[in-house]
């Protein structure tokens, strides 16, 4: 019987190939002057899925590295902000796209001046963090897939699954950076065998949702041209994608200033504790508390999370279920 391509075969064949020298010369670069100072860690932080994320890295010197799959192909972006200037350097087939998208990525289309603090704790965080902008990646699957992996599990479990799957089935990031990978293309996600999802600790419900999403990847990516609410509605047409996942996605893909994450285990309690001292706040009460920030509710939540005021735990952490051992 003729052999059939699977992701494992592709990964094995890549491993047998001789090492290709890393490309040092960039394919594109730009210097951009933002209207206001930009704090790279605050702006790009939401893209980082754990300390060992193979698609994102912050270096001690302040530079940020991002490996992603653009509409024009795989690409690696290095960003440095210094003395009021932002320098972007990119490698790979997606380099030009990454450079064109750099201002939007760093919040150039964001409108922080529209935000007015209504609570003392929010105002304090707002003053301390003048470099916060809401990023806009212009990519859906890049944020959607890891958000699906984070459904109903601990963050450590989700980060581990993302790390293992991207390293095994993604491709090495273009350019001079080591140990970074571009996430798999939609067809490769669709070819991952069931036992590999299991080894990564991903249950059938989440893996099936990802498989349904990548089958309509083109239609989902079209949502970047929609308003956030309409984009969320399109995402939620895919079975298994609900309000929590769609909000987490458009916050990153669209820079959606008003899209609040509901259905989160901890967020309502944190918002309630920060604003009223009550730790038993539910989603309905959280949205009521955030009503003074209508149009800017997600930004208000970002400032509340940066305030660092969280209620002490009264129950053990959510148990970790390692389905890979079952």
């Amino acid at each position: 019987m003729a052999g059939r391509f699977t992701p494992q075969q592709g990964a094995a064949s890549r491993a047998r190939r001789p090492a290709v020298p890393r490309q040092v010369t960039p394919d594109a670069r730009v210097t951009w002057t933002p209207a206001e100072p930009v704090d790279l860690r605050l702006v790009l932080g939401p893209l980082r899925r754990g300390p060992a994320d193979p698609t994102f890295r912050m270096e001690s010197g302040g530079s940020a590295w991002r490996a992603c799959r653009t509409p024009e192909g795989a690409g690696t972006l290095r960003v440095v902000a210094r003395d009021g200037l932002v320098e972007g350097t990119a490698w790979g087939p997606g380099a030009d796209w990454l450079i064109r998208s750099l201002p939007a990525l760093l919040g150039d289309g964001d409108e922080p001046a529209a935000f007015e603090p209504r609570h003392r704790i929010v105002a304090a965080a707002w003053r301390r963090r003048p470099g916060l902008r809401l990023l806009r990646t212009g990519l859906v699957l890049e944020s959607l897939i890891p958000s699906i992996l984070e459904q109903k599990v601990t963050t450590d479990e989700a980060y581990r699954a993302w790390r293992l799957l991207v390293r095994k089935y993604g491709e090495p990031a273009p350019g001079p950076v080591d140990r970074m990978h571009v996430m798999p293309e939609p067809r490769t996600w669709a070819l991952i065998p069931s036992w590999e999802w299991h080894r990564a600790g991903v249950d059938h419900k989440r893996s099936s949702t990802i498989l349904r999403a990548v089958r309509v990847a083109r239609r989902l990516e079209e949502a970047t041209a929609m308003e956030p609410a309409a984009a969320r509605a399109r995402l939620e047409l895919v079975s298994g994608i609900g309000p929590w996942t769609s909000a987490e996605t458009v916050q990153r893909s669209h820079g959606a200033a008003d899209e609040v994450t509901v259905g989160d285990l901890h967020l309502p309690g944190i918002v309630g504790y920060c604003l009223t001292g009550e730790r038993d706040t539910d989603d309905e009460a959280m949205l009521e508390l955030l009503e003074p920030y209508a149009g800017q509710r997600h930004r208000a939540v970002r400032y509340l999370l940066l305030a660092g005021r969280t209620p002490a735990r009264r129950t053990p952490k959510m148990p970790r279920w390692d389905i890979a051992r079952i």
Side-chain angles (χ1 to χ4, degrees):
M1 186 175 182
R4 180 180 177 183
F5 170 79
T6 66
Q8 302 101 300
Q9 291 170 346
S13 64
R14 286 196 300 270
R16 289 193 294 269
R17 295 171 187 163
V20 178
R22 286 288 186 179
Q23 177 187 351
V24 177
T25 305
D27 293 302
R29 63 169 72 239
V30 70
T31 300
W32 173 58
T33 305
E36 300 290 341
V38 172
D39 186 322
L40 290 184
R41 289 187 180 275
L42 287 181
V43 177
L44 298 180
L47 296 179
R48 183 173 180 255
R49 306 288 183 162
D53 186 346
T55 69
F56 186 82
R57 181 183 302 170
M58 284 294 303
E59 295 186 335
S60 57
S63 61
W65 291 83
R66 178 184 180 224
C68 66
R69 187 168 299 283
T70 78
E72 297 175 7
T76 302
L77 174 68
R78 180 178 183 263
V79 186
V80 180
R82 60 167 68 95
D83 301 325
L85 297 177
V86 172
E87 299 174 4
T89 312
W91 294 262
D96 288 338
W97 189 93
L98 287 168
I99 290 300
R100 292 195 304 270
S101 304
L102 180 60
L105 178 69
L106 298 182
D108 186 46
D110 188 23
E111 297 181 348
F115 183 75
E116 183 179 351
R118 302 284 186 173
H119 298 83
R120 186 176 302 172
I121 189 172
V122 176
W126 174 70
R127 286 192 296 268
R128 288 196 308 268
R129 309 285 189 167
L132 174 64
R133 299 290 181 272
L134 301 182
L135 63 86
R136 180 182 180 127
T137 66
L139 300 170
V140 170
L141 286 188
E142 177 189 57
S143 297
L144 176 62
I145 291 176
S147 295
I148 294 171
L149 292 174
E150 292 171 10
Q151 293 176 350
K152 305 297 183 181
V153 297
T154 66
T155 53
D156 287 345
E157 291 173 270
Y159 291 161
R160 174 182 177 272
W162 172 250
R163 182 172 67 249
L164 292 177
L165 293 169
V166 171
R167 284 179 177 170
K168 186 162 188 176
Y169 295 105
E171 61 188 85
V177 66
D178 292 321
R179 299 185 300 280
M180 290 189 70
H181 288 72
V182 176
M183 81 168 195
E185 60 184 355
R187 174 171 168 78
T188 304
W189 284 111
L191 291 173
I192 295 176
S194 60
W195 59 86
E196 292 292 352
W197 291 107
H198 188 82
R199 287 174 181 171
V202 181
D203 57 42
H204 179 71
K205 183 176 180 180
R206 287 179 292 150
S207 63
S208 295
T209 300
I210 291 173
L211 294 179
R212 286 190 290 269
V214 298
R215 290 190 191 108
V216 291
R218 182 180 62 83
R219 295 286 290 162
L220 296 184
E221 292 293 354
E222 289 174 356
T224 58
M226 301 176 176
E227 291 299 315
R232 291 186 64 180
R234 174 168 290 193
L235 294 181
E236 291 176 24
L237 291 174
V238 178
S239 178
I241 298 177
W244 186 93
T245 306
S246 68
E248 289 287 311
T249 301
V250 301
Q251 287 166 5
R252 296 166 172 83
S253 62
H254 288 66
D258 195 47
E259 300 301 322
V260 184
T261 302
V262 296
D264 191 86
L265 181 62
H266 304 292
L267 186 61
I270 294 173
V271 171
Y273 187 72
C274 286
L275 298 183
T276 68
E278 295 291 333
R279 56 188 297 161
D280 297 320
T281 306
D282 58 14
D283 281 331
E284 184 178 356
M286 175 182 71
L287 294 176
E288 185 176 344
L289 289 171
L290 293 172
E291 187 58 32
Y293 298 102
Q296 297 280 323
R297 294 177 299 174
H298 171 55
R299 192 190 310 275
V301 170
R302 286 291 308 275
Y303 283 124
L304 287 172
L305 293 174
L306 289 170
R309 185 182 179 191
T310 58
R313 288 186 178 274
R314 290 188 299 195
T315 59
K317 288 185 178 181
M318 182 178 177
R320 175 176 174 176
W321 300 98
D322 189 355
I323 68 168
R325 296 187 179 184
I326 298 176

